[in-house]
Amino acid sequence: MSQPEILFLTRLGIVYGLVFWVGGIAHLAFAAIPQLAKLENIVDRTRLMGGMMKRYNPVAWTAIPILIASTTYLTLHSAGKTPLPLITLAILYTAAVLDFLHSFILGPRAASGKTHARTLALTVARVETALALALPLLIAGLL
């Protein structure tokens, strides 16, 4: 495969990852979760959130490894004199680890009704959201 083809596929992977993972996080943070918060019945709210996450997580966890691989490849092949590539990777990897913790550990515990887990899951989700929303601009600096 030629270098231009590899670069095209790398950029395509980045776009895919940003659209499906970061776009999904933005939708959840700014539209879906605030709307769910208006529900007074916590059982309905928990059931709906669980249903959304059951559908969203497979999409996100397809996009995350593709985004990590594509961004890592691009970073390794864009050696420069700025720290931007390393900062971008650090933020990407941190956001992915936080997403893993939230999706597979804290989220399920919160859904089971544990108050401490719900508070911790919300905090992790907020930090992850802030990091993830910075990724499009950081990655654009690598292109």
Side-chain angles (χ1 to χ4, degrees), residues 59-98:
V59 173
W61 281 98
T62 301
I64 291 169
I66 292 170
L67 181 61
I68 288 173
S70 298
T71 304
T72 302
Y73 177 84
L74 187 65
T75 299
L76 294 174
H77 290 83
S78 64
K81 297 184 181 201
T82 70
L84 180 64
L86 294 179
I87 292 169
T88 302
L89 286 181
I91 289 174
L92 173 61
Y93 297 161
T94 302
V97 167
L98 291 175

Side-chain angles (χ1 to χ4, degrees), residues 20-44:
F20 287 101
W21 181 41
V22 178
I25 288 173
H27 172 74
L28 287 168
F30 299 117
I33 293 172
Q35 192 63 32
L36 282 177
K38 293 179 182 180
L39 292 175
E40 292 180 21
N41 186 330
I42 195 162
V43 174
D44 289 343

Side-chain angles (χ1 to χ4, degrees), residues 16-25 28 52-68 92 95-96 99-100 102-104 128:
Y16 174 83
L18 290 175
V19 167
F20 287 101
W21 181 41
V22 178
I25 288 173
L28 287 168
M52 282 192 310
M53 297 316 293
K54 193 178 220 178
R55 287 180 170 86
Y56 171 70
N57 279 341
V59 173
W61 281 98
T62 301
I64 291 169
I66 292 170
L67 181 61
I68 288 173
L92 173 61
D99 194 288
F100 179 86
H102 187 266
S103 296
F104 300 109
E128 175 199 348

Side-chain angles (χ1 to χ4, degrees), residues 1-10 73 77:
M1 195 175 289
S2 70
Q3 186 63 24
E5 291 170 327
I6 293 171
L7 189 55
F8 171 78
L9 290 175
T10 300
Y73 177 84
H77 290 83

